[in-house]
Amino acid sequence: SSGINAEYGVLKTEFSIIYESILKGEEQDECVWEKLFLIKVNVAVLEEHFSELTSNDLISLKGSINVLFKKCVQGLRDEHCIKSLNILLTLSTLVRCVWRKDLGEGFRAVDVLVGFDQAELTMSQLIEEIHKILISNKLQELKYYALT
């Protein structure tokens, strides 16, 4: 993939384009989610997208961020190591970026990430998937990211 060309602003990675769309609140079809998790995570680009958002932007994008978080957790069920690695990197970056914003009480960050109505179920599923990774014979790197 081509990188972002700062001088001309013309070329963007597919990763960046997909995240711009997600963070504009646009719905994604299943093919986009599948593709996104197979693309190497560019943590710096993802952090840059989130740094451009205000706390109010994050709150208004709660639905899109909830879907992203849920799709990540669902994607961990897949046995594909590269996909799982990308999802774990995405989740850790997502949590870090949302937590950095001044959202007031900590519970608001949880609501933005997973939504109060689904928090217990989604977090239980996440913990179950991380547990499966940790007790498996999968790559050590995958286990490392499961713990970060």
Side-chain angles (χ1 to χ4, degrees):
S1 292
S2 300
I4 296 174
N5 185 327
E7 185 175 346
Y8 298 106
V10 177
L11 302 175
K12 291 185 180 180
T13 62
E14 191 167 18
F15 179 86
S16 184
I17 291 167
I18 292 171
Y19 270 100
E20 282 178 6
S21 175
I22 291 169
L23 295 176
K24 285 180 183 172
E26 297 171 1
E27 285 193 38
Q28 310 301 317
D29 63 30
E30 286 305 313
C31 294
V32 172
W33 292 113
E34 190 66 29
K35 185 186 311 180
L36 177 63
F37 297 138
L38 290 173
I39 299 171
K40 183 179 179 186
V41 176
N42 187 329
V43 173
V45 168
L46 188 52
E47 288 179 338
E48 182 179 329
H49 284 304
F50 273 93
S51 72
E52 294 169 359
L53 299 172
T54 66
S55 297
N56 287 336
D57 291 338
L58 274 184
I59 291 167
S60 68
L61 287 167
K62 174 181 117 67
S64 296
I65 295 169
N66 288 176
V67 170
L68 171 59
F69 197 97
K70 186 175 181 177
K71 292 292 184 182
C72 285
V73 173
Q74 290 171 348
L76 283 175
R77 294 183 188 135
D78 193 322
E79 293 294 317
H80 195 287
C81 282
I82 298 297
K83 185 176 177 182
S84 295
L85 181 63
N86 288 331
I87 287 171
L88 291 169
L89 280 169
T90 299
L91 281 170
S92 65
T93 305
L94 180 62
V95 169
R96 204 171 42 254
C97 288
V98 170
W99 215 260
R100 282 183 190 152
K101 296 292 181 182
D102 182 18
L103 296 173
E105 301 294 323
F107 68 86
R108 202 171 271 152
V110 172
D111 190 35
V112 167
L113 286 166
V114 294
F116 284 135
D117 57 334
Q118 294 291 312
E120 188 173 338
L121 175 63
T122 303
M123 294 308 289
S124 294
Q125 291 170 342
L126 175 60
I127 290 167
E128 181 181 326
E129 294 306 321
I130 288 173
H131 179 266
K132 287 178 188 175
I133 290 169
L134 293 174
I135 63 171
S136 72
N137 291 326
K138 293 189 178 183
L139 299 171
Q140 290 302 315
E141 185 178 19
L142 192 58
K143 292 179 182 188
Y144 169 80
Y145 284 110
L147 292 171
T148 59

